[in-house]
Amino acid sequence: MTGSTLIDMSPNLTLVVATGALFIAGVYLLLERSLTRVLIGFILISNGVNLLFLIASGRAGGPPLIGEAEPAEMSDPLPQALILTAIVITLALTAFVLAMAYRSWQLHGHDEVQDDLEDRRIVRLAAKNSPSFTDLDADEVTESIDEQAAEARDETQRSDS
């Protein structure tokens, strides 16, 4: 290699560990049933992605403007643009999930995602038709899923009317 300089592209270990911690905590919170925890998990993962873009962009350099710095010393503007785009997308999705959590709080007094009766019915029907395992719930003598659905409160109706 004549006349070329080697650029140190090794990432900062602290940033790599911080990115991993953000991803781990974010995934853990995404698996919760509370929309507030899901929102915090989503924000942590998006911050981890932004930090990952920052790590992948390499070392800091001069501004990417012709005449301001030598082309070999300029920083890459693409990761910066990706981070700005990710911030805007995160803001929009945060507002959406926050609106869902607020609406759930208005309707139910909590923000936990509940099981759908129709989903449980489909799972039980699939379990009856599938010979690979036995469904212990299917042998119980209780009210049927249709009776449970008829007794369940319609969540679109207000309870005070």
Side-chain angles (χ1 to χ4, degrees), residues 81-105:
L82 289 174
I83 291 173
L84 286 174
T85 304
I87 289 171
V88 171
I89 292 170
T90 300
L91 180 66
L93 286 174
T94 299
F96 177 70
V97 174
L98 195 58
M100 283 194 328
Y102 179 69
R103 185 64 177 156
S104 176
W105 184 266

Side-chain angles (χ1 to χ4, degrees), residues 48-94:
V49 168
N50 292 343
L51 199 55
L52 186 66
F53 284 150
L54 186 67
I55 292 169
S57 67
R59 65 173 181 82
L65 301 172
I66 296 176
E68 291 288 321
E70 293 296 322
E73 296 175 4
M74 289 183 186
S75 64
D76 187 11
L78 181 63
Q80 298 170 14
L82 289 174
I83 291 173
L84 286 174
T85 304
I87 289 171
V88 171
I89 292 170
T90 300
L91 180 66
L93 286 174
T94 299

Side-chain angles (χ1 to χ4, degrees), residues 33 113-120 155:
R33 295 183 74 88
V113 178
Q114 297 179 358
D115 288 336
D116 188 24
L117 291 176
E118 187 65 24
D119 288 343
R120 280 194 261 158
E155 299 190 6

Side-chain angles (χ1 to χ4, degrees), residues 2-96:
T2 59
S4 66
T5 60
L6 293 176
I7 299 173
D8 183 25
M9 293 296 292
S10 60
N12 186 346
L13 187 61
T14 307
L15 292 177
V16 172
V17 169
T19 301
L22 286 172
F23 273 106
I24 289 169
V27 168
Y28 176 76
L29 288 173
L30 274 179
L31 296 175
E32 295 288 328
R33 295 183 74 88
S34 170
L35 284 176
T36 306
R37 291 183 183 195
V38 169
L39 175 66
I40 293 171
F42 175 73
I43 292 171
L44 287 177
I45 287 178
S46 65
N47 286 332
V49 168
N50 292 343
L51 199 55
L52 186 66
F53 284 150
L54 186 67
I55 292 169
S57 67
R59 65 173 181 82
L65 301 172
I66 296 176
E68 291 288 321
E70 293 296 322
E73 296 175 4
M74 289 183 186
S75 64
D76 187 11
L78 181 63
Q80 298 170 14
L82 289 174
I83 291 173
L84 286 174
T85 304
I87 289 171
V88 171
I89 292 170
T90 300
L91 180 66
L93 286 174
T94 299
F96 177 70

Side-chain angles (χ1 to χ4, degrees), residues 119-128 135 137 145 148:
D119 288 343
R120 280 194 261 158
R121 181 175 168 216
I122 290 172
V123 167
R124 286 191 180 166
L125 287 174
K128 285 181 183 177
D135 185 16
D137 294 333
I145 297 294
Q148 288 178 4

